Amino acid sequence: MKYVLEIENVSKFFHGLVAIDDLTIKVKPGQIYGIIGPNGAGKTTLFNCVTGIYTPEKGTIKYKGENITGMEPHKIAQRGVLRTFQNIRLFKEMSVAENIIAGTHTKSKQKWYHSIIHTPFYKKDELKQWKKVEELMEFFGLSKYADTPAGDLSYGNQRKIEMARALAAEPELLILDEPAAGLNENETIELTNIILKIKEMGLGIMMIEHDMEMVMKLTDYITVINFGKEISQGEPDFVQNDPRVIEAYIGTDDEEDEENGK
Ligand SMILES: Nc1ncnc2c1ncn2[C@@H]1O[C@H](COP(=O)(O)OP(=O)(O)OP(=O)(O)O)[C@@H](O)[C@H]1O
Ligand SMILES: [Mg+2]
């Protein structure tokens, strides 16, 4: 398999205004693919098209060769495309462990009646899933918070829970929308190392991120978008020095973007 994800000539409009304009992006297995660009560029919209929240008006999206354009979000997740959100989405009153086990249900082969009649299959499967949750909590350093309500934890830990929940579904493509947003410097370094370890597991990773240091450290390939259009594509070193990219960032007066354009 050459590509895990192929986005081809995809466009998405809102009320006649273009949010994504003819984007083509191909992600190889085991690659960390960065999507960067100023605020409102269309980055999250692109991820929403890939995960089935939006159906693009033009173009096709293929996952492992299968056309998934316009497929329902849960079907795309079942196939192995899992994500985290720009604004963390957790069950805040539920414990850390319960939040993470929720992720396993995406992939579980359990039928609804198994949980009522508690078949041996159900018990065995349930045990397997809890084992996986334990391993994930260990991996993310969350074991000591297993029974703590997710909403009581720091922002950094909540980001980890969301990532653990996505991994619980055993994705082959992990999609991260601004994983370092709201994190302090130490938390960002910790998360960078976690993402590198996830990469070693062999998954494809696509990430939107404004923290340029993190992007340069992690990504193998980058597409830069502005006003929904690709303005540059290539390896981090190339993209960073591309005059079109520098211009796009300097052209905005957003504080965050000015910092990134330095
Ligand atoms: N559901 C929607 N309805 C109408 N317009 C939308 C919708 N979702 C996004 N947009 C518009 O599409 C454009 C792209 O938004 P998007 O959220 O994809 O940007 P982004 O690159 O993720 O920005 P940020 O870095 O601030 O998260 C913006 O102009 C936004 O207002
Ligand atoms: Mg966004």
Side-chain angles (χ1 to χ4, degrees):
M1 180 179 50
K2 193 161 180 215
Y3 298 109
V4 64
L5 188 75
E6 293 161 271
I7 298 167
E8 281 176 318
N9 305 108
V10 163
S11 297
K12 173 73 200 158
F13 300 86
F14 291 113
H15 319 293
L17 293 175
V18 70
I20 294 288
D21 194 353
D22 197 29
L23 285 183
T24 295
I25 289 167
K26 298 187 179 193
V27 184
K28 292 178 183 162
Q31 193 174 46
I32 302 188
Y33 201 113
I35 304 291
I36 64 170
N39 293 112
K43 306 180 295 295
T44 298
T45 302
L46 176 70
F47 280 9
N48 285 339
C49 289
V50 172
T51 53
I53 293 175
Y54 298 143
T55 302
E57 277 79 24
K58 288 188 193 158
T60 53
I61 301 171
K62 285 187 204 151
Y63 170 65
K64 297 205 287 177
E66 183 190 8
N67 190 344
I68 57 161
T69 325
M71 198 180 267
E72 289 166 60
H74 76 272
K75 289 192 179 150
I76 295 177
Q78 267 168 2
R79 279 165 171 72
V81 181
L82 274 296
R83 72 176 297 176
T84 63
F85 292 88
Q86 187 166 350
N87 305 307
I88 301 177
R89 294 189 190 177
L90 290 170
F91 304 109
K92 304 249 182 224
E93 285 86 37
M94 276 163 58
S95 74
V96 171
E98 283 166 337
N99 268 283
I100 300 173
I101 196 128
T104 68
H105 297 141
T106 309
K107 261 276 161 87
S108 168
K109 291 183 184 63
Q110 282 177 20
K111 299 273 183 274
W112 62 271
Y113 52 84
H114 286 141
S115 64
I116 298 173
I117 54 178
H118 282 213
T119 58
F121 175 80
Y122 172 84
K123 283 183 194 153
K124 203 172 148 213
D125 193 53
E126 199 64 8
L127 210 68
K128 208 175 89 193
Q129 306 303 359
W130 281 111
K131 182 107 192 70
K132 200 193 301 171
V133 171
E134 262 171 38
E135 284 166 11
L136 282 165
M137 288 192 298
E138 186 75 33
F139 178 78
F140 283 95
L142 291 168
S143 304
K144 57 179 175 290
Y145 304 119
D147 300 322
T148 310
D152 290 359
L153 296 191
S154 69
Y155 209 70
N157 279 326
Q158 292 192 26
R159 288 237 170 250
K160 289 190 205 163
I161 301 168
E162 219 192 7
M163 223 180 268
R165 183 176 61 191
L167 287 179
E170 298 178 354
E172 282 179 67
L173 180 65
L174 181 65
I175 293 189
L176 308 171
D177 194 345
E178 299 198 24
L183 303 194
N184 66 34
E185 209 178 320
N186 284 336
E187 287 171 328
T188 305
I189 293 168
E190 197 190 352
L191 192 75
T192 303
N193 291 328
I194 288 175
I195 294 172
L196 281 173
K197 276 196 213 152
I198 296 173
K199 184 192 176 182
E200 281 168 23
M201 300 172 188
L203 332 187
I205 299 173
M206 255 185 126
M207 61 186 281
I208 295 172
E209 186 47 66
H210 284 293
D211 184 322
M212 280 306 127
E213 208 180 313
M214 190 185 196
V215 170
M216 291 301 147
K217 223 182 262 174
L218 282 178
T219 58
D220 300 301
Y221 213 78
I222 296 173
T223 288
V224 190
I225 57 180
N226 197 14
F227 301 111
K229 265 196 184 56
E230 177 196 310
I231 55 167
S232 184
Q233 195 172 93
E235 287 174 10
D237 274 347
F238 170 79
V239 160
Q240 198 177 23
N241 297 307
D242 188 339
R244 289 168 300 183
V245 177
I246 297 164
E247 196 197 314
Y249 276 99
I250 293 171
T252 62
D253 50 13
D254 189 289
E255 224 179 75
E256 205 171 27
D257 293 329
E258 263 172 22
E259 223 172 82
N260 292 335
K262 269 197 298 215

